[in-house]
Amino acid sequence: MRTSTQDRVAIIGDIGGHSEELFSALVRLGADPHTLDLPPDLIVVQVGDLIHRGPDSVGVLAIVWEIMQRQPVSGYSLPVITRRSI
């Protein structure tokens, strides 16, 4: 991942199954509320738990999956952990 002095980096941590909060944060950062396309100058780094005890872990995974499908990380491959790989 290369950044320029014009890039914004947003670090989002411990989502813990709260899809509405994740969605709201992404929209406040400039994501399109209909497509979840991120602005070209925005790099989002997620740290901590995506899922846990929150009310909508499936919704969190759907948001992250949609973003990764539309805007995959350039130059990096992220491992996908499935039930079979555990």
Side-chain angles (χ1 to χ4, degrees), residues 50-81:
L50 281 174
I51 59 174
H52 191 51
R53 297 181 184 162
D56 190 19
S57 291
V58 171
V60 168
L61 294 175
I63 290 170
V64 172
W65 180 259
E66 182 65 28
I67 291 171
M68 293 301 298
Q69 292 302 302
R70 289 177 158 281
Q71 295 173 281
V73 178
S74 176
Y76 290 85
S77 63
L78 299 177
V80 176
I81 299 173

Side-chain angles (χ1 to χ4, degrees), residues 7-64:
D7 289 335
R8 298 179 298 141
V9 178
I11 300 172
I12 300 176
D14 290 328
I15 295 163
H18 294 274
S19 62
E20 289 182 18
E21 288 85 348
L22 173 59
F23 180 84
S24 294
L26 292 170
V27 170
R28 280 193 311 271
L29 290 165
D32 183 291
H34 303 290
T35 65
L36 289 177
D37 285 342
L38 301 176
D41 69 332
L42 179 64
I43 297 168
V44 176
V45 177
Q46 194 283 319
V47 297
D49 296 331
L50 281 174
I51 59 174
H52 191 51
R53 297 181 184 162
D56 190 19
S57 291
V58 171
V60 168
L61 294 175
I63 290 170
V64 172

